[in-house]
Amino acid sequence: MPANRSLAIVVRTVDVFETSLVATLFTRELGKVSALAKGGRRLKSPFQGGLDLLGVSDIVLLPKASEALDLLTEAAPLERFACLRRDLAALYAGYYIAELLTDLTDYHDPHPKLFDAARITLRHLGDASLRTRRVLRFELACLRELGHMPTLDRCAHCGEPVDLRDAVAFGLATGGVLCPVCRPGQPHVVTLPARTIEAVRVLASPGSDWREIELAGSSLASIRQTVGAVISHVLGHRPRVWPLLGV
């Protein structure tokens, strides 16, 4: 089979044999892939830093026709994010992005917009003032691009418009806000301030002025808990890195 070339974010590596490793890569053109990098652990590796965790590389992948791992033949580093080496909070946020890309996506299912969102987010994690918003934006980009985005303006059960001027019922199992008629009997429902739903809507919109919305104190905590709960519901478990974010 012909070799494939793509941009890739290194989201995980596992040592195998004496000198090799298996890399999990989230690529722009091929989706998530796992590949064997022969000699990737040598001091003079043929990949020359192209398999550094959370780095962006230009890779060449030789797909296998059987159940065997694909073979990584080239990995040239293109972009490394200095903020991840000097800021522990930024590094944890980077680990969280890698965890979401690993656990939420399927193998060989390309999502170029999600790749671009991950790369942009990693690039700007050093800005502590906007880090929380950027992580939230990336979480919501994952939900949107992978088809799990909750409904924020119409009842997730009946489709009728929901009054967002007061407290709003939000159902994890039903996938979004609920009208008063549909709320009774629905599992895993919480009541959220209307401003929380509006903030999530703005953060989720690609062309919105998300930098300008006011996020502080209890409002920020409510948004973080809401989006985190949706992510956990989709995964079926709480993300491992989530408690370490501090955002």
Side-chain angles (χ1 to χ4, degrees):
M1 297 181 67
N4 294 315
R5 191 179 207 106
S6 179
L7 296 179
I9 297 172
V10 183
V11 295
R12 187 183 182 193
T13 59
V14 177
D15 294 345
V16 294
F17 310 121
E18 292 186 359
T19 60
S20 302
L21 56 83
V22 172
T24 302
L25 310 164
F26 188 74
T27 74
R28 195 176 194 279
E29 286 77 20
L30 309 172
K32 183 175 66 177
V33 298
S34 285
L36 177 64
K38 292 183 177 180
R41 296 173 57 197
R42 292 175 182 160
L43 291 178
K44 294 185 178 180
S45 167
F47 301 104
Q48 300 179 339
L51 296 178
D52 291 345
L53 189 62
L54 299 176
V56 178
S57 297
D58 180 15
I59 68 161
V60 175
L61 195 69
L62 185 63
K64 297 294 185 179
S66 65
E67 294 298 322
L69 285 169
D70 295 340
L71 183 64
L72 193 66
T73 59
E74 295 180 32
L78 292 183
E79 188 171 7
R80 294 296 177 268
F81 307 105
C83 64
L84 304 183
R85 296 193 296 270
R86 61 174 182 260
D87 187 332
L88 185 59
L91 180 61
Y92 282 146
Y95 287 158
Y96 182 58
I97 289 168
E99 181 177 357
L100 294 185
L101 291 175
T102 301
D103 292 352
L104 283 175
T105 62
D106 296 323
Y107 284 100
H108 307 292
D109 182 21
H111 289 278
K113 291 183 180 179
L114 186 55
F115 176 92
D116 293 342
R119 186 176 186 179
I120 291 171
T121 305
L122 289 168
R123 187 179 292 158
H124 295 288
L125 287 177
D127 184 352
S129 64
L130 290 177
R131 186 181 299 135
T132 297
R133 299 169 189 243
R134 291 192 182 278
V135 171
L136 283 165
R137 290 262 296 172
F138 180 73
E139 290 173 312
L140 292 164
C142 285
L143 295 173
R144 182 178 62 251
E145 294 300 322
L146 300 175
H148 301 295
M149 187 66 193
T151 302
L152 300 174
D153 56 352
R154 292 181 175 271
C155 178
H157 190 260
C158 70
E160 289 296 317
V162 174
D163 187 353
L164 299 179
R165 291 174 296 181
D166 300 311
V168 183
F170 185 89
L172 290 174
T174 48
V177 296
L178 294 166
C179 68
V181 175
C182 295
R183 173 173 179 160
Q186 297 293 340
H188 309 297
V189 176
V190 295
T191 300
L192 299 175
R195 64 179 180 274
T196 296
I197 298 297
E198 176 60 19
V200 172
R201 187 192 65 78
V202 172
L203 286 165
S205 300
S208 67
D209 294 329
W210 56 273
R211 294 176 180 84
E212 304 302 322
I213 61 173
E214 295 183 7
L215 298 179
S218 60
S219 176
L220 178 59
S222 177
I223 297 166
R224 287 294 305 130
Q225 291 296 327
T226 300
V227 177
V230 175
I231 293 286
S232 297
H233 181 76
V234 173
L235 285 173
H237 61 84
R238 190 182 192 190
R240 294 176 292 278
V241 183
W242 203 86
L244 302 176
L245 291 179
V247 296

